[in-house]
Amino acid sequence: MAHTCSTMVLHCMDFRLGSAIRNELETRGILNDCDIVAIAGAGKTIVSAEPASWHEAALSHIELSKKLHAIKKLIIMNHTDCGAYGGRGAFEDREAEDAQHHADLKAAAGIVKEAHVDLEVETALVQIDDDGSIRFESVT
Ligand SMILES: [Zn+2]
Protein backbone atom coordinates (compact mmCIF):
# COMPACT_ATOMS: atom_id res chain seq x y z
CA MET A 1 0.00 0.00 0.00
CA ALA A 2 1.33 3.38 -0.96
CA HIS A 3 1.58 5.90 1.80
CA THR A 4 0.56 9.15 0.24
CA CYS A 5 -1.27 12.27 1.30
CA SER A 6 -2.67 15.23 -0.61
CA THR A 7 -1.09 18.19 1.09
CA MET A 8 1.73 19.64 3.12
CA VAL A 9 0.96 22.47 5.51
CA LEU A 10 3.75 24.84 6.53
CA HIS A 11 2.76 27.01 9.46
CA CYS A 12 4.47 28.87 12.29
CA MET A 13 5.40 27.08 15.50
CA ASP A 14 3.32 29.58 17.57
CA PHE A 15 1.29 27.70 20.20
CA ARG A 16 -1.70 30.01 19.77
CA LEU A 17 -2.35 28.52 16.32
CA GLY A 18 -2.61 24.89 17.41
CA SER A 19 -6.31 24.17 17.76
CA ALA A 20 -7.34 26.77 15.14
CA ILE A 21 -5.18 25.14 12.48
CA ARG A 22 -6.33 21.65 13.44
CA ASN A 23 -9.96 22.81 13.22
CA GLU A 24 -9.34 24.41 9.84
CA LEU A 25 -7.72 21.25 8.48
CA GLU A 26 -10.50 19.10 9.92
CA THR A 27 -13.14 21.35 8.31
CA ARG A 28 -11.33 20.93 4.99
CA GLY A 29 -11.26 17.16 5.53
CA ILE A 30 -7.47 16.95 5.32
CA LEU A 31 -6.42 16.76 8.97
CA ASN A 32 -5.18 13.19 8.52
CA ASP A 33 -4.30 13.71 4.87
CA CYS A 34 -1.47 16.21 5.27
CA ASP A 35 2.09 16.50 6.42
CA ILE A 36 2.38 19.30 8.97
CA VAL A 37 5.60 21.26 9.31
CA ALA A 38 5.90 24.03 11.88
CA ILE A 39 8.80 26.49 11.64
CA ALA A 40 8.81 29.98 13.15
CA GLY A 41 7.73 32.50 10.51
CA ALA A 42 6.42 29.87 8.03
CA GLY A 43 6.54 31.68 4.66
CA LYS A 44 9.32 33.95 5.89
CA THR A 45 11.63 30.93 6.06
CA ILE A 46 11.18 30.41 2.31
CA VAL A 47 11.78 34.01 1.24
CA SER A 48 14.57 34.71 3.71
CA ALA A 49 17.90 32.86 3.54
CA GLU A 50 18.47 33.65 7.23
CA PRO A 51 18.53 31.76 9.49
CA ALA A 52 19.93 29.32 6.95
CA SER A 53 18.91 26.26 8.97
CA TRP A 54 15.25 27.37 8.99
CA HIS A 55 15.34 28.15 5.26
CA GLU A 56 16.88 24.78 4.46
CA ALA A 57 14.46 22.97 6.77
CA ALA A 58 11.46 24.50 5.00
CA LEU A 59 12.72 23.73 1.49
CA SER A 60 13.96 20.25 2.32
CA HIS A 61 10.66 19.29 3.97
CA ILE A 62 8.77 20.29 0.84
CA GLU A 63 11.10 18.03 -1.15
CA LEU A 64 10.69 15.25 1.39
CA SER A 65 6.92 15.52 1.54
CA LYS A 66 6.80 15.20 -2.25
CA LYS A 67 9.22 12.29 -2.29
CA LEU A 68 7.73 10.34 0.62
CA HIS A 69 4.05 11.13 0.32
CA ALA A 70 3.60 12.45 -3.22
CA ILE A 71 1.82 15.62 -2.09
CA LYS A 72 0.04 17.62 -4.77
CA LYS A 73 -0.44 20.77 -2.77
CA LEU A 74 1.38 23.02 -0.32
CA ILE A 75 -0.46 25.39 1.99
CA ILE A 76 1.70 28.13 3.52
CA MET A 77 0.11 29.77 6.55
CA ASN A 78 1.58 32.94 8.03
CA HIS A 79 -0.03 34.65 10.99
CA THR A 80 -0.24 38.13 12.41
CA ASP A 81 1.52 39.11 15.64
CA CYS A 82 4.25 36.65 14.64
CA GLY A 83 7.38 36.66 16.79
CA ALA A 84 9.54 35.81 13.79
CA TYR A 85 8.47 39.18 12.34
CA GLY A 86 9.07 41.00 15.62
CA GLY A 87 5.41 40.78 16.67
CA ARG A 88 2.63 43.23 15.94
CA GLY A 89 4.67 46.06 17.48
CA ALA A 90 7.20 45.85 14.65
CA PHE A 91 4.63 47.37 12.27
CA GLU A 92 3.16 50.85 11.96
CA ASP A 93 -0.37 49.44 11.84
CA ARG A 94 -2.40 46.38 10.90
CA GLU A 95 -2.41 47.36 7.23
CA ALA A 96 1.38 47.47 7.13
CA GLU A 97 1.54 44.13 8.93
CA ASP A 98 -0.91 42.51 6.52
CA ALA A 99 0.97 43.97 3.54
CA GLN A 100 4.27 42.45 4.71
CA HIS A 101 2.68 39.02 5.11
CA HIS A 102 0.90 39.23 1.78
CA ALA A 103 4.17 40.17 0.05
CA ASP A 104 6.11 37.37 1.74
CA LEU A 105 3.40 34.77 1.06
CA LYS A 106 3.26 35.70 -2.62
CA ALA A 107 7.06 35.62 -2.89
CA ALA A 108 7.22 32.29 -1.05
CA ALA A 109 4.60 30.77 -3.35
CA GLY A 110 6.58 32.00 -6.37
CA ILE A 111 9.82 30.47 -5.10
CA VAL A 112 8.15 27.11 -4.42
CA LYS A 113 6.36 27.04 -7.76
CA GLU A 114 9.58 27.81 -9.58
CA ALA A 115 11.24 24.77 -8.00
CA HIS A 116 8.13 22.55 -8.12
CA VAL A 117 6.04 23.37 -11.16
CA ASP A 118 3.74 20.42 -10.45
CA LEU A 119 2.85 21.60 -6.97
CA GLU A 120 -0.28 23.63 -6.27
CA VAL A 121 0.53 26.35 -3.73
CA GLU A 122 -2.06 28.03 -1.55
CA THR A 123 -1.33 30.80 0.91
CA ALA A 124 -3.26 32.02 3.90
CA LEU A 125 -2.84 34.64 6.60
CA VAL A 126 -4.13 33.62 10.01
CA GLN A 127 -5.35 36.74 11.74
CA ILE A 128 -4.84 36.73 15.49
CA ASP A 129 -6.83 39.63 16.87
CA ASP A 130 -6.01 41.46 20.07
CA ASP A 131 -8.90 39.69 21.83
CA GLY A 132 -7.29 36.36 20.92
CA SER A 133 -9.82 35.41 18.25
CA ILE A 134 -8.45 33.72 15.17
CA ARG A 135 -9.64 33.72 11.57
CA PHE A 136 -8.21 32.47 8.29
CA GLU A 137 -7.82 34.74 5.29
CA SER A 138 -6.98 33.38 1.90
CA VAL A 139 -4.16 35.31 0.23
CA THR A 140 -4.03 35.25 -3.55
ZN1 LIG B 1 4.77 33.08 14.33
Side-chain angles (χ1 to χ4, degrees), residues 9-72:
V9 177
L10 173 65
H11 66 75
C12 182
M13 64 177 278
D14 196 309
F15 72 96
R16 293 172 293 174
L17 302 169
S19 55
I21 286 180
R22 291 201 159 260
N23 290 342
E24 174 73 12
L25 298 176
E26 194 158 43
T27 299
R28 290 170 175 233
I30 58 168
L31 181 57
N32 295 310
D33 184 34
C34 62
D35 290 331
I36 300 177
V37 177
I39 307 175
K44 188 182 185 192
T45 67
I46 294 173
V47 297
S48 173
E50 296 293 331
S53 59
W54 300 11
H55 180 64
E56 284 154 20
L59 297 183
S60 64
H61 278 76
I62 295 167
E63 297 265 1
L64 192 61
S65 194
K66 276 183 73 181
K67 189 175 160 191
L68 288 181
H69 302 144
I71 54 158
K72 303 288 182 232

Side-chain angles (χ1 to χ4, degrees), residues 17-136:
L17 302 169
S19 55
I21 286 180
R22 291 201 159 260
N23 290 342
E24 174 73 12
L25 298 176
E26 194 158 43
T27 299
R28 290 170 175 233
I30 58 168
L31 181 57
N32 295 310
D33 184 34
C34 62
D35 290 331
I36 300 177
V37 177
I39 307 175
K44 188 182 185 192
T45 67
I46 294 173
V47 297
S48 173
E50 296 293 331
S53 59
W54 300 11
H55 180 64
E56 284 154 20
L59 297 183
S60 64
H61 278 76
I62 295 167
E63 297 265 1
L64 192 61
S65 194
K66 276 183 73 181
K67 189 175 160 191
L68 288 181
H69 302 144
I71 54 158
K72 303 288 182 232
K73 183 176 182 175
L74 171 69
I75 306 175
I76 307 169
M77 292 180 179
N78 273 27
H79 72 97
T80 57
D81 195 29
C82 181
Y85 283 85
R88 178 155 290 143
F91 299 94
E92 183 113 344
D93 53 27
R94 292 292 292 263
E95 275 181 27
E97 184 178 22
D98 284 5
Q100 179 68 59
H101 285 291
H102 288 192
D104 279 5
L105 285 165
K106 282 175 194 170
I111 289 166
V112 172
K113 286 197 78 66
E114 200 165 295
H116 305 282
V117 288
D118 53 337
L119 204 58
E120 184 189 341
V121 182
E122 182 188 325
T123 54
L125 181 59
V126 186
Q127 293 281 357
I128 302 182
D129 289 330
D130 291 332
D131 64 4
S133 65
I134 291 178
R135 66 207 146 78
F136 285 77

